[in-house]
């Protein structure tokens, strides 16, 4: 199959199916074997070598979705992120990191890199000049995450890729929040794309997985570290992930449609102070979103008016779940100040613009009217409490 000519739903449904030569079943067979014949074969297969049949074929789907040559699947997003960073950063190297990245990645860098003698600088803000200002003679990599969590701020991917090329360093992006349905960083010149596949790829809040996509040469290099660190995923979960990814595009598009409408509804609501969604004209990066995203995604954040307590509001919801993770088909909300960003000092949160009452909303596929009704009744209940 020539991927370039296929539509996105065909890629999701069919590219990277594991062949069923024996029975010609409609779906991929699951190969749970951890032991494969080694006589007279070209490929020595083993789960931790990331090359069992299910791993090998599903990687092709991820590579096709990210418009690149190759991919690897990991046991979690953090396994993918740590393996990539420890592949390209060695003792004595320096990395430039966007300041508001996922807390787990920040934790890896802040708590562990010093003991590996890898230095790092977090950018002051998301402007390209701030990235350029952090470059040092020993910089090897620029790490970004756009849209960012939880305020959905954007980084200019093309500008970062251009800077990285001119400085002869690698550019790496965590594309979890957008998914390849909404954003293809490789098309803007970014070298390596990471995912927490626990999120949109899995989509049903029942899989923990990670992925990385890039050129064959980059993936071959990452593979050397990957087999040493051992962050591979069980083949049962790889099979589940393939099943989930068949509906990736229709899920994400349905979630995005809902998010756009919910953002407009919240923006016009008297009880809402502010909405953060790249699709709104009021968002600071709306113009950049139109340039580099194919839509505006299904994540948004909002603040309630001062007289409405955010915690009481979340408890009053009956359909939308106050829950930690994101990107599932079910809508969830959380308070970053109490969850994803609770380890930051109040001062650091303030600096990033994350108010204590800020609510992050991962919009699902439920009927829009039911989501609106739930928010409406929770606001009324909270006001009257
Ligand atoms: N990147 C982002 C943007 C995330 O939100 C998360 C988890 O929430 C991760 C990476 C880490 O992924 P995992 O939990 O699958 O290790």
């Amino acid at each position: 199959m020539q991927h370039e000519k296929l539509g996105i739903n065909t890629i999701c449904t069919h590219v990277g199916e594991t062949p069923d030569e024996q029975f010609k079943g409609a779906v991929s067979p699951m190969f749970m074997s951890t032991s494969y014949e080694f006589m007279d074969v070209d490929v020595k297969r083993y789960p931790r070598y990331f090359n069992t049949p299910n791993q090998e074929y599903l990687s092709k789907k991820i590579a096709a979705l990210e418009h690149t040559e190759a991919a690897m699947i990991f046991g979690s997003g953090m396994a993918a992120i740590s393996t990539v960073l420890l592949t390209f950063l060695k003792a004595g190297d320096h990395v430039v990191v966007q300041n508001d990245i996922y807390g787990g990645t920040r934790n890896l860098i802040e708590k562990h890199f010093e003991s590996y003698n890898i230095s790092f600088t977090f950018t002051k803000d998301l402007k390209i000049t701030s990235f350029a200002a952090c470059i040092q003679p020993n910089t090897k990599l620029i790490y970004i995450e756009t849209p960012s969590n939880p305020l959905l701020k954007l980084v200019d991917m093309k500008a970062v890729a251009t800077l990285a090329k001119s400085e002869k360093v690698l550019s790496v992006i965590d594309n979890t929040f957008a998914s390849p349905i909404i954003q293809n960083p490789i098309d803007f010149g970014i070298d390596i794309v990471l995912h927490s596949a626990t999120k949109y790829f899995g989509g049903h809040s029942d899989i923990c997985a990670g992925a990385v996509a890039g050129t064959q040469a980059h993936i071959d290099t990452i593979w050397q570290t990957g087999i040493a660190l051992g962050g591979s995923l069980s083949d049962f979960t790889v099979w589940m992930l393939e099943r989930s990814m068949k509906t990736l595009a229709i899920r994400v598009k349905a979630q995005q449609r809902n998010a756009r409408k919910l953002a407009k509804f919240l923006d016009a609501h008297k009880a809402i102070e502010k909405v953060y969604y790249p699709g709104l004209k009021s968002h600071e990066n709306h113009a950049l979103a139109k340039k580099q995203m194919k839509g505006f995604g299904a994540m948004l954040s909002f603040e309630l008016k001062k007289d409405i307590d955010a915690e009481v509001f979340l408890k009053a919801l009956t359909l939308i779940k106050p829950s930690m993770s994101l990107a599932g088909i079910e809508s969830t909300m959380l308070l970053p100040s109490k969850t994803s960003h609770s380890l930051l000092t109040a001062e650091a949160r303030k600096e990033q613009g994350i108010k204590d009452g800020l609510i992050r909303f991962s919009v699902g596929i439920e009927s829009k009217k039911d989501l609106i009704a739930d928010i409406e009744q929770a606001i009324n209940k909270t006001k009257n409490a």
Side-chain angles (χ1 to χ4, degrees):
M1 257 189 288
Q2 265 188 297
H3 307 156
E4 305 80 46
K5 297 209 172 113
L6 296 174
I8 192 75
N9 282 314
T10 314
I11 295 176
C12 286
T13 312
H14 290 300
V15 172
E17 290 174 301
T18 309
D20 180 357
E21 306 291 0
Q22 202 178 358
F23 299 110
K24 311 282 183 208
V27 301
S28 296
M30 190 195 303
F31 291 95
M32 290 300 291
S33 192
T34 58
S35 179
Y36 290 84
E37 189 176 342
F38 65 90
M39 309 271 284
D40 308 322
V41 291
D42 296 334
V43 183
K44 308 281 182 271
R45 295 189 191 275
Y46 185 60
R48 186 171 45 79
Y49 289 179
F50 299 86
N51 64 358
T52 57
N54 293 97
Q55 286 175 303
E56 184 184 313
Y57 281 92
L58 183 56
S59 296
K60 294 181 200 294
K61 192 195 296 290
I62 295 169
L65 285 170
E66 284 295 7
H67 300 179
T68 187
E69 293 169 0
M72 279 167 72
I73 301 154
F74 286 83
S76 68
M78 282 314 300
I81 292 167
S82 54
T83 303
V84 167
L85 291 178
L86 295 177
T87 297
F88 297 107
L89 297 169
K90 305 292 173 209
D93 290 344
H94 171 262
V95 53
V96 175
V97 190
Q98 174 185 325
N99 76 353
D100 52 354
I101 53 163
Y102 168 63
T105 313
R106 195 178 182 108
N107 184 54
L108 167 71
I109 293 168
E110 281 186 327
K111 300 252 165 68
H112 299 272
F113 273 23
E114 208 180 320
S115 63
Y116 306 149
N117 195 22
I118 299 167
S119 57
F120 52 87
T121 311
F122 284 96
T123 60
K124 185 164 70 65
D125 51 43
L126 306 195
K127 293 194 194 96
I128 193 63
T129 45
S130 302
F131 283 89
C134 296
I135 300 277
Q136 296 182 11
N138 57 341
T139 301
K140 291 287 169 1
L141 195 147
I142 303 176
Y143 188 92
I144 61 169
E145 196 180 299
T146 178
S148 74
N149 178 21
L151 293 174
L152 291 314
K153 291 185 202 161
L154 307 190
V155 179
D156 187 331
M157 293 189 286
K158 194 163 180 209
V160 167
T162 306
L163 172 69
K165 283 190 177 47
S166 76
E167 296 290 339
K168 297 190 174 40
V169 305
L170 273 183
S171 52
V172 176
I173 185 171
D174 182 335
N175 200 25
T176 301
F177 259 49
S179 93
I181 307 307
I182 289 169
Q183 178 170 282
N184 289 116
I186 301 275
D187 295 349
F188 294 88
I190 299 289
D191 295 310
I192 292 168
V193 182
L194 289 159
H195 282 278
S196 167
T198 316
K199 309 300 179 316
Y200 286 111
F201 281 15
H204 297 72
S205 309
D206 55 8
I207 286 174
C208 182
V212 55
T215 61
Q216 189 65 57
H218 280 144
I219 293 297
D220 288 347
T221 310
I222 295 163
W223 184 83
Q224 302 287 344
T225 314
I227 61 166
L229 295 180
S232 59
L233 184 65
S234 103
D235 278 289
F236 176 70
T237 317
V238 174
W239 186 87
M240 290 272 288
L241 186 57
E242 187 205 336
R243 188 177 183 271
S244 293
M245 290 188 70
K246 284 176 188 278
T247 57
L248 178 67
I250 56 168
R251 277 190 280 109
V252 170
K253 284 181 186 170
Q255 288 173 261
Q256 176 172 252
R257 266 196 307 278
N258 263 353
R260 207 170 170 163
K261 287 173 184 153
L262 265 294
K264 281 191 181 147
F265 158 76
L266 289 167
D267 200 40
H269 202 290
K270 287 196 299 291
I272 307 295
E273 181 68 37
K274 190 165 168 63
V275 181
Y276 302 85
Y277 182 63
L280 291 177
K281 287 204 182 87
S282 57
H283 190 279
E284 59 180 299
N285 300 125
H286 181 63
L288 181 57
K290 286 206 284 194
K291 224 167 74 183
Q292 67 182 21
M293 297 171 81
K294 295 176 276 181
F296 304 107
M299 298 294 302
L300 60 97
S301 290
F302 63 96
E303 288 153 11
L304 292 155
K305 283 257 154 69
K306 277 200 182 65
D307 56 331
I308 307 176
D309 186 284
E311 283 189 65
V312 180
F313 166 79
L314 288 184
K315 281 191 190 139
L317 293 165
T318 57
L319 178 68
I320 301 167
K321 293 182 165 65
S323 156
M324 275 287 280
S325 204
L326 63 110
I329 51 170
E330 61 286 323
S331 294
T332 59
M333 287 190 189
L334 59 69
L335 284 172
S337 62
K338 296 268 174 206
T339 53
S340 53
H341 293 69
S342 62
L343 292 179
L344 295 185
T345 59
E347 189 61 26
R349 276 199 300 274
K350 201 168 162 207
E351 239 171 64
Q352 290 188 22
I354 303 167
K355 301 207 173 123
D356 285 351
L358 181 80
I359 294 171
R360 192 189 75 192
F361 187 2
S362 169
V363 183
I365 62 165
E366 300 92 337
S367 303
K368 178 194 70 175
K369 72 174 176 48
D370 297 328
L371 294 172
I372 288 178
D374 196 27
I375 294 169
E376 210 57 278
Q377 68 77 27
I379 288 174
N380 289 336
K381 226 188 264 172
T382 311
K383 265 186 181 164
N384 301 330

Coordinates of all heavy atoms in Angstrom, one line a residue, residues 305-336:
K305 N -16.2 32.4 37.2 CA -16.2 33.7 37.9 C -15.9 33.5 39.3 O -16.1 32.4 39.9 CB -17.6 34.3 37.7 CG -17.8 34.9 36.3 CD -17.7 36.4 36.4 CE -17.2 37.0 35.0 NZ -18.2 37.0 34.0
K306 N -15.3 34.5 40.0 CA -14.8 34.4 41.4 C -15.8 33.8 42.4 O -15.4 33.1 43.3 CB -14.4 35.8 41.8 CG -13.0 36.1 41.4 CD -12.4 37.2 42.3 CE -11.1 37.6 41.8 NZ -11.1 38.2 40.4
D307 N -17.1 34.1 42.2 CA -18.1 33.6 43.2 C -18.5 32.1 43.0 O -19.3 31.6 43.8 CB -19.4 34.5 43.1 CG -20.0 34.5 41.7 OD1 -19.2 34.3 40.7 OD2 -21.2 34.6 41.6
I308 N -17.8 31.4 42.0 CA -18.2 30.0 41.8 C -16.9 29.2 42.2 O -15.9 29.3 41.5 CB -18.6 29.7 40.4 CG1 -19.8 30.7 40.1 CG2 -19.1 28.3 40.2 CD1 -20.3 30.6 38.7
D309 N -17.1 28.3 43.2 CA -15.9 27.5 43.6 C -15.7 26.4 42.6 O -16.6 25.5 42.4 CB -16.2 27.0 45.0 CG -15.0 26.3 45.6 OD1 -14.7 25.1 45.2 OD2 -14.3 26.9 46.4
A310 N -14.4 26.3 42.1 CA -14.1 25.3 41.1 C -14.2 23.9 41.6 O -14.7 23.0 40.9 CB -12.7 25.5 40.5
E311 N -13.8 23.7 42.8 CA -13.9 22.3 43.4 C -15.3 21.8 43.6 O -15.7 20.7 43.3 CB -13.1 22.2 44.7 CG -11.6 22.2 44.5 CD -10.8 21.9 45.7 OE1 -11.0 20.8 46.3 OE2 -10.1 22.8 46.2
V312 N -16.2 22.8 44.1 CA -17.6 22.4 44.3 C -18.2 22.2 42.9 O -19.0 21.2 42.8 CB -18.3 23.6 45.1 CG1 -19.8 23.2 45.3 CG2 -17.6 23.8 46.4
F313 N -17.9 23.0 42.0 CA -18.4 22.8 40.6 C -18.0 21.4 40.1 O -18.9 20.7 39.5 CB -17.8 23.9 39.7 CG -18.0 23.6 38.2 CD1 -19.2 23.9 37.6 CD2 -17.0 23.1 37.4 CE1 -19.4 23.6 36.2 CE2 -17.1 22.9 36.1 CZ -18.4 23.1 35.5
L314 N -16.8 21.0 40.2 CA -16.4 19.7 39.7 C -17.1 18.6 40.4 O -17.5 17.6 39.7 CB -14.9 19.5 39.9 CG -14.0 20.3 38.9 CD1 -12.5 19.9 39.1 CD2 -14.3 20.1 37.5
K315 N -17.4 18.7 41.7 CA -18.1 17.7 42.4 C -19.6 17.6 42.0 O -20.2 16.6 42.1 CB -18.0 17.9 43.9 CG -16.7 17.5 44.5 CD -16.7 17.5 46.0 CE -15.3 17.3 46.6 NZ -15.0 18.2 47.7
A316 N -20.1 18.8 41.5 CA -21.5 18.8 41.1 C -21.8 18.2 39.7 O -22.9 18.0 39.3 CB -22.0 20.3 41.1
L317 N -20.7 17.9 38.9 CA -20.9 17.4 37.6 C -21.5 15.9 37.7 O -21.1 15.2 38.6 CB -19.6 17.3 36.8 CG -19.0 18.7 36.5 CD1 -17.5 18.5 36.0 CD2 -19.8 19.3 35.3
T318 N -22.4 15.6 36.8 CA -22.9 14.2 36.9 C -22.5 13.3 35.7 O -22.5 12.1 35.8 CB -24.5 14.2 37.0 OG1 -24.9 14.9 35.9 CG2 -24.9 14.9 38.3
L319 N -22.2 14.0 34.6 CA -21.8 13.2 33.4 C -20.3 13.3 33.1 O -19.7 12.3 32.9 CB -22.6 13.8 32.2 CG -22.4 13.2 30.8 CD1 -22.9 11.8 30.8 CD2 -23.0 14.0 29.7
I320 N -19.8 14.5 33.2 CA -18.4 14.7 32.9 C -17.6 14.3 34.2 O -18.0 14.6 35.3 CB -18.1 16.2 32.7 CG1 -18.9 16.7 31.4 CG2 -16.6 16.5 32.5 CD1 -19.0 18.2 31.2
K321 N -16.6 13.5 33.9 CA -15.9 12.9 35.1 C -14.8 13.8 35.6 O -13.9 14.2 34.7 CB -15.3 11.5 34.7 CG -16.4 10.5 34.5 CD -15.7 9.1 34.1 CE -16.7 8.0 34.2 NZ -17.7 8.0 33.2
P322 N -14.7 14.1 36.9 CA -13.5 14.8 37.4 C -12.4 13.7 37.5 O -12.4 12.9 38.4 CB -13.9 15.3 38.8 CG -15.2 14.6 39.1 CD -15.7 13.8 37.9
S323 N -11.5 13.7 36.5 CA -10.6 12.6 36.4 C -9.3 13.0 35.8 O -9.2 14.0 35.0 CB -11.3 11.5 35.5 OG -10.3 10.7 34.9
M324 N -8.2 12.3 36.2 CA -6.8 12.7 35.9 C -6.4 12.7 34.5 O -5.8 13.6 34.0 CB -5.9 11.7 36.6 CG -5.6 12.1 38.1 SD -4.5 13.5 38.3 CE -2.9 12.7 38.0
S325 N -6.7 11.7 33.7 CA -6.1 11.6 32.4 C -6.9 12.4 31.4 O -7.7 13.2 31.7 CB -5.9 10.1 32.0 OG -4.9 10.0 31.0
L326 N -6.6 12.2 30.1 CA -7.2 13.0 29.1 C -7.3 12.3 27.8 O -6.7 11.2 27.6 CB -6.4 14.3 28.9 CG -5.0 14.1 28.4 CD1 -4.8 14.6 26.9 CD2 -4.0 14.9 29.2
A327 N -8.1 12.8 26.9 CA -8.2 12.3 25.5 C -9.0 11.1 25.3 O -9.1 10.6 24.1 CB -6.8 12.1 24.9
G328 N -9.6 10.6 26.3 CA -10.5 9.5 26.1 C -11.8 9.9 25.4 O -12.1 11.1 25.3
I329 N -12.6 9.0 25.0 CA -13.9 9.3 24.4 C -14.9 9.9 25.4 O -15.9 10.5 25.0 CB -14.6 8.1 23.6 CG1 -14.6 6.9 24.5 CG2 -13.8 7.8 22.3 CD1 -15.5 5.8 24.0
E330 N -14.6 9.7 26.7 CA -15.5 10.3 27.7 C -14.9 11.7 28.2 O -13.7 11.8 28.3 CB -15.6 9.4 28.9 CG -14.4 9.0 29.7 CD -13.5 8.0 29.0 OE1 -14.0 7.1 28.3 OE2 -12.2 8.2 29.0
S331 N -15.7 12.6 28.4 CA -15.3 14.0 28.8 C -14.8 13.9 30.2 O -15.4 13.3 31.1 CB -16.4 15.0 28.7 OG -16.7 15.1 27.3
T332 N -13.7 14.6 30.5 CA -13.1 14.7 31.8 C -12.7 16.1 32.1 O -12.3 16.9 31.2 CB -11.9 13.8 32.0 OG1 -10.9 14.1 31.1 CG2 -12.3 12.3 31.9
M333 N -12.7 16.5 33.4 CA -12.2 17.8 33.8 C -11.3 17.6 35.0 O -11.5 16.7 35.8 CB -13.4 18.7 34.2 CG -14.2 19.2 33.1 SD -15.3 20.5 33.7 CE -16.3 20.8 32.2
L334 N -10.3 18.5 35.2 CA -9.5 18.5 36.4 C -9.0 19.8 36.7 O -9.1 20.8 35.9 CB -8.4 17.4 36.3 CG -7.3 17.6 35.2 CD1 -6.4 18.8 35.3 CD2 -6.5 16.3 35.2
L335 N -8.5 20.0 37.9 CA -7.9 21.2 38.4 C -6.4 21.0 38.3 O -5.8 20.3 39.1 CB -8.2 21.5 39.8 CG -9.6 22.0 40.2 CD1 -9.8 22.0 41.7 CD2 -9.7 23.4 39.6
P336 N -5.7 21.6 37.3 CA -4.2 21.4 37.2 C -3.5 21.8 38.5 O -2.5 21.1 38.9 CB -3.8 22.4 36.1 CG -5.0 22.5 35.2 CD -6.2 22.4 36.2

